[in-house]
Amino acid sequence: MQYKRVLLKLSGEALMGEQQYGIDAKRLSEYAEDIKAVIDKGVEVAIVIGGGNIFRGLSGAGQGMDRVQGDHMGMLATVINGLALQSALEIQGVETRLQSAIKINEVAEPFIRRRAMRHLEKGRVVIFGGGTGNPYFTTDSAAVLRAIEIKADVILKGTRVDGIYTSDPEKDKTATKFDSISFNDVLSKGLKVMDTTAFTLSQENELPIVVFDMNTRGNLMRIVSGENIGTVVNL
């Protein structure tokens, strides 16, 4: 395996599958099966999941809601998704721990860095919910922060497209894909990989990002096995 410890970033919208909102049980099960296959190869996996399929704080703010209040609702949405993913993984026989950046002791452990790392060493999947625990920060920022804290080798950003393109491939049929690209080139070309805070934090800590299509079965295994799929962002 090319990577020993990875941080998998999943968007909340990805869990919707073909639905308009909520969680698609079939998509959730497919993700769990793909993650289990990687765990069975000895790769340590931590996961940060968004909450956009349930609630997005920025959207609430756009409709007149207090931004801090909206972001707190979004954090709770990530915990709901974390619980759903935890259940799907345990159905597959994978040991998991859900850690939350906001205290919800009845349903999740508090985030404790050393405890999280110990879980990973024991072969458990650790799901980080609650974002960073602070408003105004996205789950992209949470993913980079947690990846640095647990000393992950790479951030695997699972999306619905198979990498980074010169423009949006869903809108521009002439868009071309990058197999690899530097942090500086992403910034100079104005490409959207993560929000600026998350991306800069990743660059400063020399933490590579791989953007790939999580919805294609087996792609996660291909990446950790060293296959050149998706787009690698590195120095």
Side-chain angles (χ1 to χ4, degrees):
M1 297 293 103
Q2 181 167 344
Y3 303 111
K4 172 62 177 172
R5 177 177 293 170
V6 303
L7 188 293
L8 176 62
K9 169 60 170 65
L10 298 174
S11 70
E13 288 91 337
L15 296 186
M16 292 190 297
E18 302 302 319
Q19 302 175 170
Q20 297 300 310
Y21 63 91
I23 299 170
D24 182 335
K26 181 175 180 291
R27 174 63 53 80
L28 195 64
S29 177
E30 289 173 351
Y31 282 179
E33 289 173 7
D34 282 353
I35 293 166
K36 180 182 187 300
V38 168
I39 290 292
D40 288 345
K41 291 292 185 179
V43 179
E44 298 173 4
V45 179
I47 301 170
V48 169
I49 192 162
N53 56 321
I54 300 172
F55 190 85
R56 186 181 291 278
L58 195 58
S59 299
Q63 298 170 15
M65 179 179 288
D66 177 75
R67 173 65 189 274
V68 174
Q69 199 85 342
D71 280 354
H72 283 143
M73 293 171 68
M75 290 178 210
L76 292 174
T78 69
V79 175
I80 292 172
N81 283 340
L83 285 166
L85 183 57
Q86 181 180 41
S87 177
L89 285 165
E90 289 178 344
I91 288 171
Q92 297 295 327
V94 178
E95 277 197 75
T96 69
R97 293 293 187 273
L98 174 61
Q99 293 195 345
S100 173
I102 50 179
K103 290 184 180 179
I104 319 177
N105 293 337
E106 287 74 17
V107 297
E109 295 179 359
F111 169 67
I112 300 173
R113 173 178 172 267
R114 289 183 182 274
R115 182 182 290 178
M117 294 175 75
R118 185 62 177 147
H119 289 322
L120 292 168
E121 289 166 0
K122 290 185 174 181
R124 298 166 182 153
V125 171
V126 181
I127 303 167
F128 298 118
T132 65
N134 302 290
Y136 296 97
F137 289 90
T138 66
T139 50
D140 279 347
S141 292
V144 177
L145 179 62
R146 296 292 180 249
I148 294 166
E149 288 178 308
I150 65 170
K151 302 185 185 301
D153 300 321
V154 66
I155 295 175
L156 305 180
K157 184 174 170 66
T159 67
R160 61 186 182 187
V161 293
D162 61 346
I164 301 170
Y165 283 75
T166 52
S167 58
D168 188 344
E170 296 180 348
K171 298 177 182 177
D172 182 2
K173 300 302 180 185
T174 64
T176 56
K177 176 175 166 285
F178 296 99
D179 290 329
S180 63
I181 189 170
S182 71
F183 283 98
N184 287 335
D185 282 347
V186 168
L187 293 172
S188 66
K189 295 176 186 296
L191 303 174
K192 185 66 175 173
V193 178
M194 290 179 165
D195 68 84
T196 307
T197 302
F199 191 77
T200 303
L201 186 61
S202 186
Q203 181 181 22
E204 287 176 349
N205 288 274
E206 301 181 6
L207 182 64
I209 304 167
V210 179
V211 180
F212 72 106
D213 177 10
M214 182 67 184
N215 295 338
T216 298
R217 301 298 304 276
N219 266 0
L220 184 60
M221 177 63 79
R222 294 185 187 101
I223 286 177
V224 298
S225 298
E227 286 190 36
N228 185 25
I229 65 169
T231 301
V232 180
V233 184
N234 214 329
L235 295 177

